[in-house]
């Protein structure tokens, strides 16, 4: 029997090359049982004509399928579904009744319903996306990333790609971070004091598991990054939100029974405040007096284009009290899921054991690609280009914001990628965000950043990391019109 | 000032192309502050001569560095370190005293020191590696994986690569698993019932967090996969080890207060037993009577070359009682860190929220690459080739084992990649493994698989997934000599 040419069609929104699409159609036809063993495929000529594509494309796809044993070729008479084509078994599933499990009783812990808001995943379809933390295709050095990723797929890196590192990390990446990244933040660390994590969030989560329990107290900044607060809430510990001011976290407001302090000294999230040196020293002294630990989330220090960034809090830490968390999500891209933490050896040893239990290790290819991108200098070049563009966008933001009389609550002394904004006392920025969406404008309502007990509704965040400079004035104008 | 040509040398064990190495040397020289702004680089001619390589290689590296703004070119007079080269600040770290933190008191939970043994990472340097779960370069379709990974790095997949999916997954991979992978195991599931995880271990860990607490009881197979037991121990729940027999887990030995049953019905780890259909039905009935849930670890079902594998336990589950865990670690490679779990919607919703808090989502590139590899049919072709080679190796194993009179305790009815072996009662296979290492033979001692209360020392595992058939007879002979 012959397989009719009519069963083939090119989906208009299909991804990948034409050759890949044809290959996929044939493989799926065989694997799903629609095409049977011994059946003859359309000739390359007729399939090419039917699809309106070049014959060589079809021939290449068939050749590939031949190599994979899906097809056999019988000389000039054409291609057939191979007798030995991989056709895995498919079983008839049991009829499914209603779920017989009382999930309310079966689930011992609940994690849904935290403060972390749902964000639009299709932000690119908005014309004025003042969205934070997504990658602007115009800013990311995609081509060099691709080169590094391709290199990391090579034969020489086969082990780095495929191996089960058990509880270990890619030694190349760890070495680069120790020798190059950390010295720039004033930090000296040995490999045993460094752990690669699945993004900064994973590092913050690991630290919370190891340091907090029901009878410990965590101090967090208020406002702060909501996912950070959700992580702490899940540990069941006591939480003291401490109001930040224009200089970040004031150490004299920390409760006397604080065990762990979570802070963002370089660039407070979300107010963008930078903690001055004397306050950093005071914070370290206070932590020492309280015998408390500090978890420093050093996100976005790279985006310093107005002034050089200050060194990390960890660089002032003389007694191993600070656990440092770094991230590549903002400087590279969040889908990478790569970050790292630095701390004393006994801490990193336990964090490593916990990470091994939870997920073993971040994928090898991701680690090796980042190691190449960093060591070839692409990373620093990219940071530099990003900073230049962000600086230019920021100027446009400043001008438009001033022109329309909007109020900036925090702007970041070194740079950054967002403004922390304040509307009139009685404005609900959640409703504002909804209204603006209809006009193609994305802003981030500020309420989820605040501790639930007192949650002002009139703050919002405007990021300029994903919106082109040319669209900023009109975007700001639309926001102003609604306020 | 000129930078001397003598500061450049090619490391004999360096990885990557010559061009990349030169680029890296220059970038590192600049970023570390050794090469200063305005300094002149060696001419491409002199550097090429010094390193004994082609001049065009040096020129290409310099051109790349020019594009990245590390170098400027002053007409015919050569290349200079750019005035605007990205030179990030480096700070002087504080002098480090002894650690002032009492980590014994600060760490509220400990995860190190579990049953999971340390395994050799340099297993490839052993001539007779009967090691389990690592990737044999001869069996993995590296070139097609590379093609799929390269495709997933393309412009069309920019979003899939870079995006922050928040708590979501790559829809392409989820769809493929739902439409193609699960039907082969007799499972029907909607996307809301599927969660992509960082390997099967991550899925097992998530399930344990959601279903177990101090006042719940988990039943586990004895012997079982040690990392699975470590995960359960960490939850603090009561654990009942249930001795498996030649048909896997006997449901009549489950304690009456069991809340969750962890089992490997397709291919018991490590004994390789396959649970017959009637025992599966009995297990489901018993779980229903106990109102217990079942977590099914369906690892390695793909390696069925002697008989078709049985459908998954989940395919018989009519009331949503079974949580199914699948993995790509054995069929693709463990460094991928990709697996998935299937369960009722209320369960998957909480698992998704927990995963989001712990790590957000598995890296986008990894997910998209797997989606391509699966949908283009490479996955099935690879499984097929692997099964053929494993079948051949198994025959050689059987022959050598019989010839030397070694005792097989479990061999897997469908296939698999390892034998479960038994030495004389008084043999300590841990000592045996140590002795054999000195002779280039890697075996896996069996004790860590058993529950601590009664831990026989005389079992061991012999895998044939990473050792060439030609080396098996001599490897087995060496083992026999030591026994």
């Amino acid at each position: 029997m012959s397989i009719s040419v009519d069963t083939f069609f090119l989906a208009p929104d299909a991804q990948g090359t034409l050759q890949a699409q044809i290959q996929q159609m044939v493989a799926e036809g065989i694997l799903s049982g629609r095409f049977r063993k011994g059946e003859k495929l359309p000739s390359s000529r007729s399939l090419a004509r039917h699809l309106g594509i070049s014959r060589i494309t079809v021939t290449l796809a068939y050749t590939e399928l031949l190599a994979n044993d899906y097809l056999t070729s019988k000389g000039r008479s054409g291609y057939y579904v191979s007798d030995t084509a991989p056709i895995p078994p498919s079983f008839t599933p049991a009829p499914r009744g209603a779920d017989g499990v009382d999930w309310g009783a079966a689930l011992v812990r609940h994690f849904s319903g935290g403060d972390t808001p749902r964000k639009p995943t299709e932000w690119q379809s908005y014309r004025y996306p003042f969205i934070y933390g997504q990658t602007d295709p115009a800013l990311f050095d995609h081509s060099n990333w691709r080169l590094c990723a391709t290199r990391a797929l090579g034969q020489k890196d086969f082990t780095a790609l495929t191996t089960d590192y058990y509880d270990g990390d890619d030694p190349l990446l760890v070495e680069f971070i120790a020798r190059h990244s950390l010295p720039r933040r004033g930090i000296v660390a040995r490999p045993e004091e460094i752990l690669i994590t699945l993004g900064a969030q994973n590092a913050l989560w690991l630290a919370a598991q190891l340091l907090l329990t029901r009878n410990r107290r965590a101090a967090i900044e208020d406002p702060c990054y909501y996912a950070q607060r959700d992580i702490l809430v899940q540990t069941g510990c006591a939480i003291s939100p401490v109001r930040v001011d224009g200089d970040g976290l004031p150490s004299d407001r920390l409760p006397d029974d604080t065990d762990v302090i979570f802070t963002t000294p370089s660039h407070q999230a979300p107010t963008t405040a930078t903690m001055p040196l004397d306050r950093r020293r005071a914070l370290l002294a206070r932590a020492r007096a309280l015998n408390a630990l500090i978890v420093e989330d050093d996100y976005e220090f790279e985006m310093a284009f107005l002034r050089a960034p200050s060194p990390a809090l960890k660089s002032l830490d003389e007694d191993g009290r600070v656990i440092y968390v770094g991230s590549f999500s903002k400087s590279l891209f969040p889908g990478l899921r790569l970050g790292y933490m630095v701390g004393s050896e006994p801490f990193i040893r336990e964090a490593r054991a916990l990470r091994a239990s939870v997920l073993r290790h971040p994928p090898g290819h991701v680690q090796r690609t980042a190691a190449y991108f960093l060591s070839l200098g692409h990373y620093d070049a990219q940071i530099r280009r990003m900073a230049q563009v962000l600086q230019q966008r920021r100027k446009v933001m400043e001008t438009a914001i001033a022109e329309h009389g909007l109020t900036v609550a925090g702007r970041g002394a070194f740079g950054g990628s967002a403004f922390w904004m304040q509307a009139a006392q009685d404005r609900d920025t959640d409703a504002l965000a909804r209204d603006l969406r209809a006009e193609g404008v994305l802003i981030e309502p500020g309420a989820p950043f605040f501790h639930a007990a007192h949650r002002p509704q009139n703050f919002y965040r405007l990021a300029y990391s994903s919106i082109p400079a040319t669209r900023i004035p009109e975007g700001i104008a639309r926001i102003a019109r609604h306020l």
Side-chain angles (χ1 to χ4, degrees), chain A:
Chain A
M1 223 195 96
S2 287
I3 297 165
S4 164
V5 81
D6 297 327
T7 62
F8 291 88
F9 59 94
L10 294 171
D13 59 343
Q15 297 194 315
T17 63
L18 288 170
Q19 184 196 324
Q21 283 181 57
I22 291 164
Q23 200 178 324
Q24 197 166 338
M25 279 189 280
V26 176
E28 287 203 4
I30 295 173
L31 291 174
S32 67
R34 284 190 295 121
F35 304 167
R36 308 279 171 94
K37 290 180 182 185
E39 286 185 339
K40 185 175 190 299
L41 273 95
S43 72
S44 56
R45 184 188 302 273
S46 67
L47 184 55
R49 197 171 38 219
H50 169 71
L51 297 174
I53 62 177
S54 132
R55 190 177 165 191
I56 183 75
T57 307
V58 178
T59 307
L60 287 171
Y62 280 2
T63 309
E64 188 66 35
L65 288 157
L66 203 65
N68 266 346
D69 211 15
Y70 284 87
L71 302 182
T72 50
S73 125
K74 299 193 182 158
R76 301 200 48 168
S77 88
Y79 291 91
Y80 295 81
V81 176
S82 157
D83 278 350
T84 52
I87 307 177
S90 184
F91 304 101
T92 319
R96 272 177 48 174
D99 226 43
V101 177
D102 174 3
W103 286 105
L107 292 162
V108 296
R109 294 166 74 196
H110 291 264
F111 296 92
S112 61
D115 275 337
T116 306
R118 286 224 154 255
K119 295 193 192 178
T121 47
E122 18 57 273
W123 63 270
Q124 292 190 75
S125 65
Y126 290 83
R127 196 162 165 81
Y128 309 102
F130 293 102
I131 192 171
Y132 184 83
Q134 290 284 13
T135 309
D136 186 339
L139 292 187
F140 175 55
D141 183 0
H142 189 196
S143 62
N144 275 317
W145 181 264
R146 195 157 43 196
L147 283 176
C148 292
T150 309
R151 180 174 161 196
L153 286 162
Q155 203 62 55
K156 275 188 180 171
D157 286 316
F158 186 80
T159 299
L161 171 72
T162 61
T163 203
D164 190 340
Y165 278 122
Y166 308 116
D167 64 353
D169 294 314
D170 182 355
L172 222 62
L173 180 59
V174 172
E175 195 204 332
F176 193 89
I177 289 172
R179 280 181 47 213
H180 290 260
S181 306
L182 293 174
R184 294 168 189 186
R185 307 298 295 134
I187 300 169
V188 172
R190 301 186 309 273
E192 313 85 75
E193 297 170 319
I194 300 170
L195 182 73
I196 308 294
T197 60
L198 255 108
Q201 175 145 349
N202 186 224
L204 296 170
W205 183 88
L206 290 167
Q209 306 313 304
L210 292 172
L211 304 176
L212 292 170
T213 179
R214 294 199 172 274
N215 43 31
R216 298 260 168 139
R217 180 171 296 277
I220 52 168
E221 297 172 341
D222 186 27
C224 74
Y225 177 47
Y226 31 73
Q228 163 77 79
R229 192 172 47 236
D230 277 346
I231 285 172
L232 300 187
V233 167
Q234 286 162 14
T235 67
C237 73
I239 297 178
S240 297
V242 178
R243 263 294 162 113
V244 301
D245 57 28
D247 288 337
L249 182 72
S251 58
D252 49 5
R253 285 192 226 152
L254 292 167
D256 290 340
D257 57 347
T258 303
D259 295 299
V260 190
I261 303 156
F262 288 83
T263 182
T264 50
S266 297
H267 202 70
Q268 206 275 330
T271 67
T272 75
T274 299
M275 193 182 287
L277 190 59
D278 54 349
R279 191 178 273 197
R280 292 179 187 228
R281 292 222 169 89
L283 177 60
L284 284 167
R286 177 94 171 117
R288 195 175 298 118
L290 295 174
N291 195 23
L293 298 172
I294 298 174
V295 178
E296 174 185 23
D297 181 358
D298 194 33
Y299 83 106
E300 233 193 37
F301 72 85
E302 306 93 340
M303 302 298 120
F305 42 79
L306 300 174
R307 282 198 260 151
S310 9
L313 186 65
K314 175 76 180 158
S315 74
L316 304 170
D317 172 30
E318 290 173 31
D319 50 358
R321 196 168 295 286
V322 179
I323 292 154
Y324 175 90
V325 175
S327 167
F328 295 114
S329 293
K330 304 290 178 294
S331 47
L332 290 170
F333 53 90
L336 180 62
R337 309 307 313 132
L338 209 58
Y340 52 96
M341 67 202 298
V342 181
S344 293
E345 209 177 326
F347 173 82
I348 292 294
R349 190 184 310 126
E350 290 303 319
R352 182 179 299 284
L354 173 56
R355 190 199 66 183
S357 197
V358 174
L359 57 84
R360 292 205 170 184
H361 59 79
H365 180 245
V366 165
Q367 295 194 57
R368 185 52 60 96
T369 303
Y372 285 150
F373 197 80
L374 289 161
S375 69
L376 285 168
H378 298 311
Y379 184 76
D380 292 275
Q382 144 124 359
I383 294 295
R384 205 185 141 71
R385 274 190 299 260
M386 275 176 87
Q388 279 164 357
V389 174
L390 289 179
Q391 180 163 26
Q392 188 222 339
R393 288 185 188 171
R394 185 180 163 109
K395 271 193 205 138
V396 181
M397 290 284 287
E398 292 272 19
T399 308
I401 285 169
E403 189 183 319
H404 292 283
L406 301 184
T407 309
V408 176
R411 45 165 47 89
F414 298 94
S417 63
F419 288 94
W420 181 237
M421 305 293 294
Q422 186 166 13
Q425 201 81 39
D426 59 344
R427 286 304 305 231
D428 178 349
T429 55
D430 206 42
L432 175 69
R434 259 197 316 276
D435 293 347
L436 283 166
R437 273 197 199 202
E439 298 196 30
V441 183
L442 281 183
I443 67 165
E444 190 174 4
F449 291 99
F450 289 94
H451 193 71
H454 60 104
R455 191 165 268 182
Q457 302 294 318
N458 62 322
F459 286 88
Y460 60 106
R461 183 158 69 171
L462 288 185
Y464 44 93
S465 45
S466 297
I467 183 170
T470 50
R471 294 196 186 160
I472 289 173
E474 175 58 21
I476 297 290
R478 290 184 187 211
I479 296 168
R481 228 176 291 147
H482 271 269
L483 278 170

